[in-house]
């Protein structure tokens, strides 16, 4: 069992008129569990800021209902968070006659195990000994081109179809498939959760360098 978690968060509005990224970090009082959530409202749909906030509020509600991650299974807690986020978005959207949508990535750590899920192109990177071990695969057209061997990963951020997503939270239909992935973690492993506002511009080598610095 790890003695402590070390974490940091940062938001930057960049060249946008409105900050539609949102995040929350929730650590249990006994320091044995931690939940990290990042959401990025989809700017092509009205209510992007409201959508990402719905994900964060849902995570906070489920964390409290689950007694800081002890009442439900880890997979169940993540699934409940996604489901509640959709319900909050849909209710808010119906009141304002809009269809807010958001990407998100959620990480829960308990007993040296990481549980995570994502929608859209918000990502989780898992580093070990300063090197990338794995990252989530975007639910996007550009990721599909990568998988088909028609595009190099280094060109993802500048491709004309970047931003065309295949999965998200929000809209009219509730998420049909919530895939929770599991990874064993070791001391001094690093996790990075980010929106496309970071990974489009920051190269992998720079991420690795920054995470190894003090």
């Amino acid at each position: 069992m790890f003695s402590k978690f070390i974490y940091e968060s940062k938001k930057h509005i960049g060249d946008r008129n409105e900050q539609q990224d949102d995040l929350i970090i929730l650590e249990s009082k006994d320091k044995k569990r931690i939940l990290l959530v990042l959401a990025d409202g989809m700017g092509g749909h009205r209510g992007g800021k409201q959508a990402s906030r719905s994900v964060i509020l849902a995570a906070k509600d489920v964390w409290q209902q689950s007694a800081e991650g002890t009442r439900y299974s880890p997979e169940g807690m993540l699934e409940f968070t996604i489901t509640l986020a959709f319900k909050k978005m849909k209710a808010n959207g119906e009141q304002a006659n809009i269809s807010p949508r958001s990407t998100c990535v959620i990480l829960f750590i308990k007993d040296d195990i990481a549980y995570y899920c994502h929608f859209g192109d918000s990502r989780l990177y898992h580093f070990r000994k300063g090197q990338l071990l794995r990252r989530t695969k975007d639910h996007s057209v550009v990721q599909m081109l990568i998988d088909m061997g028609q595009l190099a990963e280094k060109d993802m951020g500048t491709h004309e179809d970047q931003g065309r997503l295949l999965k998200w939270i929000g809209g009219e239909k509730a998420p049909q498939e919530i895939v929770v992935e599991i990874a064993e973690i070791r001391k001094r492993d690093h996790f990075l959760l980010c929106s496309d506002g970071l990974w489009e511009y920051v190269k992998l080598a720079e991420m690795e360098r920054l995470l190894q610095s003090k």
Side-chain angles (χ1 to χ4, degrees), residues 38 41 65 88 99 109 136 155 170 174 208:
L38 180 141
Q65 293 168 16
K88 286 180 178 290
S99 183
I109 297 176
T136 52
D155 297 323
E208 292 173 338

Side-chain angles (χ1 to χ4, degrees), residues 14-201:
D15 60 358
R16 300 295 181 90
N17 294 323
E18 180 180 60
Q19 173 60 275
Q20 296 189 346
D21 287 16
D22 211 338
L23 57 89
I24 193 169
I25 300 172
L26 298 165
E27 186 176 17
S28 62
K29 293 176 183 177
D30 61 10
K31 309 294 183 182
K32 293 181 179 180
R33 295 169 304 283
I34 191 167
L35 179 70
L36 303 96
V37 184
L38 180 141
D40 178 10
M42 293 171 62
H45 300 267
R46 291 174 58 201
K49 182 177 181 179
Q50 184 185 65
S52 60
R53 174 52 26 179
S54 294
V55 177
I56 302 308
L57 292 176
K60 189 174 181 180
D61 287 350
V62 173
W63 178 255
Q64 294 172 345
Q65 293 168 16
S66 69
E68 299 186 327
T70 61
R71 187 167 296 164
Y72 307 136
S73 69
E75 295 90 343
M77 190 173 68
L78 269 58
E79 291 168 2
F80 293 161
T81 298
I82 297 297
T83 301
L84 182 58
F86 169 76
K87 290 179 178 179
K88 286 180 178 290
M89 262 183 250
K90 187 168 176 58
N92 292 335
E94 288 175 348
Q95 288 183 350
N97 196 29
I98 57 177
S99 183
R101 305 178 188 191
S102 179
T103 72
C104 83
V105 56
I106 305 176
L107 169 65
F108 176 58
I109 297 176
K110 176 184 178 182
D111 298 331
D112 303 351
I113 303 293
Y115 303 84
Y116 58 93
C117 65
H118 76 293
F119 280 80
D121 59 0
S122 288
R123 292 181 175 180
L124 177 143
Y125 291 81
H126 182 184
F127 298 90
R128 176 166 293 160
K129 295 182 179 180
Q131 301 296 315
L132 179 66
L133 189 63
R134 61 175 61 85
R135 77 156 173 87
T136 52
K137 281 192 173 185
D138 302 341
H139 301 126
S140 69
V141 170
V142 171
Q143 181 69 63
M144 186 171 63
L145 295 175
I146 293 287
D147 295 343
M148 295 169 62
Q150 297 182 11
L151 184 69
E153 182 150 349
K154 64 181 180 63
D155 297 323
M156 291 183 77
T158 56
H159 193 276
E160 60 183 359
D161 286 328
Q162 169 50 23
R164 289 184 60 192
L165 302 183
L166 304 175
K167 290 178 69 174
W168 53 80
I169 303 173
E172 298 304 314
K173 294 183 179 180
Q176 298 299 306
E177 183 181 18
I178 303 173
V179 178
V180 177
E181 299 183 72
I182 301 174
E184 184 177 353
I185 56 180
R186 300 175 186 173
K187 189 176 181 180
R188 292 178 182 156
D189 274 15
H190 291 86
F191 291 93
L192 172 65
L193 282 65
C194 65
S195 69
D196 60 350
L198 184 121
W199 67 255
E200 281 186 9
Y201 302 100

